Amino acid sequence: MKKKQCSRTDLISQPILKTPIAAAVVMALSGQTGLAQDSGGLEEIVVTAQKRSENLQDVPISIEAINSEKLEELNIRNFNDYVRMLPSVAATPETGAGAGFAKVYMRGIVTGGDGQATTSQPSVGTYLDEQPITTIQGNLDLHLYDIARVEALAGPQGTLYGASSQAGTIRIITNKPEIGEFSSGYALEANNVSEGGDGYVVEGFVNLPISDRAAVRLVGWRSSEAGWIDNVAGTRLYPGDASTRADDFTVDNRTSAKDDYNTLSTTGARAALRVELDDNWTLTPSVQYQQQRSNGFWGDDLSDFAPGQYAVTHFREEYSKDKWYQGGLTIEGKIGTFDLTYAGNYLNRDVDASFDYSDYSYWYDNAYTTGYFAGLFLNNAGGRPNPAHSFVNNDAYTKQSHELRISSDPERRVRGLLGAFYQKQKHDFEQPFGNIAGLADSMLMNRDEPNGTKYPGVVYLNSLDRVDTDEAIFGQVAFDITDSLELTVGARFFKPEVTVNGFFGFSLGFSRSRAPSGSEPGAVANGGSGAFSPMGQGWSSNGEYRCKSQKAYKDAPCQNVAKGIDESENIGRVNLRWKASDDAMMYLTWSEGYRPGGINRNPFAGDYISDFLTNYEFGWKTAWMNNRLQLNGALFLQQWDDFQISFQGANGITQVANGPSAEVSGIETQLQWLAADALMISATASFYNSELKSNFSNFDADGKVTRINAPKGTSLPITPEFKGNVVARYSFEMGDYNAHIQGAVSHSGKAAARLSLADNAIIGDIPANTIADLSAGVSKNNYTVEVFIQNLTNEDSVLYKTAQCAESVCGVQPYGVRPQPRTVGMKFTQKF
């Protein structure tokens, strides 16, 4: 019996295909749209997500790409700007430093609480050209100027990009030197924040040919961002012994109170050289440098006793100095029909910062001044010193990476890529807590040193060296089953290693109630030297008490952490791509991503192992109306097994353990529409649904559940169920000038701030927010003048919430990071 042939209309009429997206895909797959690209269509965007140059519409990955022109049109300059325009990306802005410490997440893979020096590596990898610039405590916040594009690759990218690309990868691609062509340009901007002060931006670049086979590109920038948070003058009473009130202590901030005190200045430069050695080989060395100095605090007090909106009352100095440089070398060439690429990079980063910690000492440490803990913090006279604490953060990072890969002719039916990767990153961090002027000599760190202590007033100290090493071999093979059907299989075999050495904890004089018993770690019976000198004060259960010897370790009083872990694992990826027509492509993907395991600074907390993410994805990319309309999307399901989660362990020390499993499902859509020759509309959106597949619980030493923090079915925090944006740009002629007007609106839905239901009930959800921008400008010849308004409606919903200590203690005084208030500015750009 002859089968009935289905027409395109018949297909669309089927119930399962009555949604607009499905109908559009079917129409495109029928090949009857006749949508051959022509000069009147959308501009092609070339990406290198798969380690080779390809049209974005041909890449079987869910990618959001913001090219150079779009970056300029949207006035995107930093991390917060581009994250807002990438629906697959969520972030937790840094309240204390203002820049350089934000945490980034993709596709809802987040538990919150990470980002400390000895916790998990990030689940999203960030690349600057060929180098991963992901660090444990936050990514580099590079000022974006003369950038070719920003790519956001959603879903596991571990086979090609390795560790910390578990949930996705963000790539910042700089403009490279152009041989044989001179070009230059500069931009000047002045702006004013409605609730604060004035700011400015100065940027410039020049591309200089230096021979017929070489060119250099030089880029520089300087910006000053105005503040809008006030440190309001005030006092705080730290109560003492409730029975006498004799040791009550009142602090004030008269010397540090200031309006609009959260300012940020950025200075940086980049230089790249490109040399064509011959027709087949090129060298591209580059170097970049940036320094950021922030002052103040970037959140405001949300408590019932707050001094007002965009305001705090803090009592200790707050600043951050973030300085880094990066050197890189890329070598590209051909050996026969094979392409060879080497990329080597070195990153050096130093961060010196100080943060107010007076809430911590008020809500937490203050409890130690009564009862069993009476007289915890004393001066030499037995009185009470100023109890308002601060937290100092001195970090030194170095990171080197080397990658060598070889790929076969991309035009062959069977083609492949094989690579080797090595990375070593060191993090030397020193974090003194307390910094109390006049603290008793008997309580000081290194008090036995002949020249006195290096840490005056320090109550608690982290001084640790963390080294992460990653070795990997990766590859993939693509096979054209037919002219329109391609199968790609990839794998990565990796061996990560993590070591931590150093000191954490209190001095020996911390608690007068603990006496030496002969069973402490430093006792001779336990392999120690017995060389303790309690000076009549006794012993603490953390810190120096846990050292086997009182011999100094680097800058610390002794060593009580010496741990390491290594693993050997593998992950894979399978992709089936169907090029249904010149204007439609569909794909199916199974892929895996991972984060390496690690160790906890508390030696009794144990280690945590790698966690893995498995992704099942169906995607499509289509073009319409002579390529004047592009509609792309992806449906996915992700399974996150035994994920790493940070929490407050014994004695309030943050630790990491492998916890429950979770699932995240969702849809991502992207639209580009040249609605008229003068009107461009773009829109992107993501819809996510997440849930725990088992309870997130606390356990006792016998493995019995002591508390259910979040039951099965609870949504993961931070990432909203919906996030999206729409941008419309209209261009027209105005006399002798080319003019434009542009509007952009982004929306992010409500999300939980914490995974633990009890903690989230205290600190509260992150509310939804909608931010609108408007700009208009004119251009003539080689210059453009533009005026803009960012945050047009002055949206003030909180983007993220935090507190200075555990929510159960400090949650009554939370802080929130709000969007920068309405900002009005003017920008002048000229290019040659």
Side-chain angles (χ1 to χ4, degrees), residues 267-283:
T267 304
R270 179 168 63 248
L273 172 69
R274 186 170 181 83
V275 180
E276 293 180 347
L277 300 178
D278 55 30
D279 292 340
N280 293 322
W281 290 87
T282 62
L283 292 175

Side-chain angles (χ1 to χ4, degrees), residues 684-696:
T684 57
S686 62
F687 303 83
Y688 297 136
N689 179 65
S690 64
E691 62 174 352
L692 293 179
K693 303 307 291 183
S694 55
N695 295 338
F696 166 38

